[in-house]
Amino acid sequence: MGHEYVGIVEEVGSEVQHIKPGQFVVGSFWASDNTCPICQAGYQSSCVQRVLMGTIGTQAELARVPLADGTLVATPDIPPDDLIPSLLAASDVLGTGWFGAVAAEAGPGKTVAVVGDGAVGLLAVLAAKQLGAERIIAMSRHQPRQQLAIQFGATDVVTERGDEGVARVKELTGGLGAHSVIEAVGTQESMLQAIGSTRPGGHVGYVGVAHGVELPGEELFFSHVHLHGGPAPVRRFLPELIDLIWNRQIDPGKVFDLTLPLEEAAEGYKAMDERRAIKVLLRP
C-alpha cells in the first residue's frame, strides 16, 4: 500500500546514472522515464513506461523504485527534520493540488474556487496563492480545514454544496462564476459543482479520482467551460516545489496533522476515514 514517499537512497542499479546512494530523494506516485515524448511534454504520469508506485508499495522500510533517474529528484542536501513533512507532501498531494491549479489556469487577476477540503484541495489553495490568484474561494464545511485554507491563502469560505454552493460562488463573483475552479473530490456532485461554479470561458482543473462521474453533454456544451485534469504529472513540478520548500517559501507539510509509526498505518487510514485527520504521516 501507499505511493507517497521520501527517503535516503541505499543502493542503485547498474544503469542508474544520476541518482546516488546517500542522497535524500522525493519521488512521484508514477515512476516514469522522463525522456519519452509524453514525459517531455510534461505528462510523466502517462509515460509510455509508467509504473504505479502503489503497486510496488512505499509504506515499507525499503522500496525498489523503477526508472530511478526519471522518477526521483534529489534535494540539495539531507534536509532538516522539520522539512520532511513538506517534502513528503510534494510527492503527491502538493503536486496534485498544484497540477489542479495549473490545469485550471489559476494566476494573477483570477478568482479561483476549490471544491474539496482534503489534503489535495487545501494544497490547491496554496498553489493558487503561489501562482498569484487574486481571490481564492475555499469550499469547506469543516472549521479546522477552513482555518488551514485561510492560512494557505483562501480569501473566502463557502460552506454550501451542490446547487447552493454554485449559487454562493456566483453571488461572490457578480453572477459570473470563478475564472478557475479546482475539483479535488471525484464525485458526480463535486464535478457538476465545479463546472457550475465556472464562468463561461473559464477553466476546471479536475484532480479528484473520478468515481461514477457522468457528465451531461448538453449542459457541458452550453457551459463554454474548459476541462483538463487527470492523474497529476507530479514529476513535472518536483524541482520547482522542492526549491520552494527548501527555501521555506511554502509550508505544505501543515496538512499532516497526525504522525504515526509505520506499524500503525491501519490506524492512520482509520483516522482519515473517520475525518479525525486530514493527512497522516508515517515514519519508519
Side-chain angles (χ1 to χ4, degrees):
M1 295 293 291
H3 57 266
E4 300 154 292
Y5 57 101
V6 298
I8 294 175
V9 177
E10 295 286 330
E11 58 182 83
V12 299
S14 60
E15 295 183 24
V16 177
Q17 301 296 313
H18 305 295
I19 298 298
K20 309 296 183 186
Q23 288 181 318
F24 188 96
V25 293
V26 183
S28 167
F29 58 91
W30 285 102
S32 59
D33 59 31
N34 209 33
T35 58
C36 79
I38 306 300
C39 286
Q40 290 297 294
Y43 288 87
Q44 291 91 337
S45 47
S46 284
C47 173
V48 298
Q49 295 194 76
R50 70 179 182 176
V51 179
L52 183 59
M53 289 302 297
T55 63
I56 290 172
T58 59
Q59 290 172 1
E61 295 286 350
L62 294 168
R64 178 186 174 275
V65 179
L67 305 168
D69 280 335
T71 303
L72 301 175
V73 179
T75 56
D77 203 342
I78 302 298
D81 203 56
D82 67 312
L83 284 187
I84 289 176
S86 287
L87 292 167
L88 180 59
S91 179
D92 177 6
V93 287
L94 174 60
T96 296
W98 199 276
F99 176 56
V102 169
E105 299 205 354
K110 299 284 187 73
T111 293
V112 179
V114 180
V115 180
D117 64 356
V120 170
L122 291 168
L123 290 174
V125 170
L126 181 153
K129 175 69 173 178
Q130 193 67 27
L131 292 168
E134 184 175 296
R135 190 177 188 187
I136 303 169
I137 303 168
M139 308 189 85
S140 169
R141 289 181 168 179
H142 305 90
Q143 191 172 12
R145 298 175 187 227
Q146 293 170 1
Q147 292 170 349
L148 191 51
I150 290 166
Q151 287 182 44
F152 283 154
T155 56
D156 302 85
V157 173
V158 168
T159 58
E160 295 87 350
R161 288 184 182 172
D163 292 341
E164 291 181 357
V166 170
R168 182 70 180 125
V169 170
K170 289 192 172 180
E171 183 183 331
L172 290 169
T173 55
L176 299 176
H179 300 92
S180 306
V181 180
I182 301 157
E183 190 285 316
V185 183
T187 64
Q188 178 84 358
E189 181 185 59
S190 63
M191 181 63 93
L192 294 181
Q193 182 175 317
I195 294 169
S197 299
T198 310
R199 67 179 59 193
H203 295 74
V204 174
Y206 59 96
V207 290
V209 180
H211 297 285
V213 175
E214 295 182 3
L215 300 181
E218 188 173 344
E219 185 177 330
L220 187 60
F221 181 77
F222 284 103
S223 71
H224 265 153
V225 167
H226 302 75
L227 295 179
H228 183 45
V234 171
R235 179 61 181 81
R236 186 206 304 183
F237 307 111
L238 273 182
E240 178 183 2
L241 299 181
I242 289 170
D243 185 64
L244 287 169
I245 292 164
W246 194 263
N247 291 302
R248 299 183 183 273
Q249 292 175 257
I250 58 174
D251 186 12
K254 288 180 180 178
V255 296
F256 291 104
D257 53 352
L258 179 61
T259 299
L260 294 172
L262 182 60
E263 57 267 25
E264 293 182 27
E267 171 56 28
Y269 281 107
K270 186 177 180 183
M272 290 190 290
D273 183 53
E274 296 173 353
R275 299 185 81 84
R276 290 184 283 111
I278 300 171
K279 191 73 173 169
V280 178
L281 185 149
L282 299 175
R283 285 187 178 271

